Amino acid sequence: MHILNLMDLEVAIGDMRRAGTDLTAYEVKTASSELPRDLPATISAFANLNGGSIILGISEKAGFHPVDDFDARAAQAKIAQSARDLVSPPVVPDIRILEFEGKPVVIANIPEFAPKLKPCFVKKLGQINGSFIRTGDGDHHMSLYEIDRFVENQQRTARNDVALIPDSSLSDLDDVLLASWLAQ
């Protein structure tokens, strides 16, 4: 569920205010002077599971209200660059600046990656330590088992076992084997 307009943002903030915390699909970051250091982990977590929206310029501690000293234009550029440079594979978020309660906020909608691209991980931590998933209101390290399943799914979706055989046709198939396979 991505935030595409003011109505989506108001619904998301209302849900978080009622819950008193971030939600699985939404992460709020104050980002008043600079982007938070854990931002790449959140990008990874959203890309690896169901996608989600990062909302910059809102303070969770202040009851999910906009912060005063937030530079939306600078935050927009920084989050776009972070999503390209700090995670692998690079993420191309849908970034929007919306006005909420009279102040600008930045919304970065992070898409879920296709199975062949997962896991998305924080580059400086590497795939083993830098792959995250989103659970509840937090970003959690993926287990080795989860990473292994994602890598295994990459190989399945890559279809490396499929190759064209030149100058072949359906008449080259063994009718008995084909009938047996179709019966299964």
Side-chain angles (χ1 to χ4, degrees):
M1 182 183 259
H2 287 151
I3 297 172
L4 303 176
N5 54 47
L6 180 58
M7 187 165 54
D8 293 343
L9 178 60
E10 289 172 343
V11 168
I13 296 294
D15 289 346
M16 287 185 280
R17 284 176 175 164
R18 283 186 289 285
T21 187
D22 297 317
L23 302 173
T24 302
Y26 309 116
E27 176 71 23
V28 170
K29 305 276 189 191
T30 303
S32 57
S33 58
E34 61 183 39
L35 293 183
R37 286 183 295 224
D38 63 348
L39 185 66
T42 302
I43 293 170
S44 164
F46 282 147
N48 285 329
L49 214 48
N50 299 315
S53 298
I54 300 170
I55 306 165
L56 303 174
I58 300 279
S59 173
E60 183 176 350
K61 292 177 182 174
F64 295 95
H65 291 284
V67 295
D68 289 327
D69 53 350
F70 178 67
D71 184 347
R73 292 177 71 130
Q76 178 185 32
K78 288 178 184 175
I79 195 166
Q81 198 64 43
S82 295
R84 303 243 356 113
D85 294 343
L86 301 181
V87 297
S88 182
V91 175
V92 181
D94 168 44
I95 302 174
R96 299 161 187 255
I97 297 177
L98 299 175
E99 189 170 300
F100 181 71
E101 295 181 353
K103 296 186 177 150
V105 298
V106 173
I107 312 299
N109 293 305
I110 308 298
E112 177 182 5
F113 272 4
K116 67 182 179 182
L117 297 175
K118 294 178 184 181
C120 175
F121 60 92
V122 179
K123 283 183 182 179
K124 73 177 184 178
L125 299 176
Q127 187 179 58
I128 300 298
N129 295 316
S131 296
F132 293 84
I133 56 171
R134 184 83 178 169
T135 306
D137 71 342
D139 308 319
H140 303 279
H141 285 279
M142 290 175 66
S143 69
L144 290 175
Y145 176 82
E146 291 167 319
I147 294 168
D148 188 48
R149 296 296 69 80
F150 276 1
V151 171
E152 186 177 282
N153 283 336
Q154 284 178 354
Q155 293 167 353
R156 283 187 189 150
T157 60
R159 303 288 298 171
N160 295 331
D161 60 338
V162 176
L164 296 176
I165 301 172
D167 301 320
S168 63
S169 69
L170 289 176
S171 63
D172 295 323
L173 296 175
D174 182 309
D175 291 335
V176 175
L177 288 176
L178 179 60
S180 172
W181 181 79
L182 290 173
Q184 290 180 7

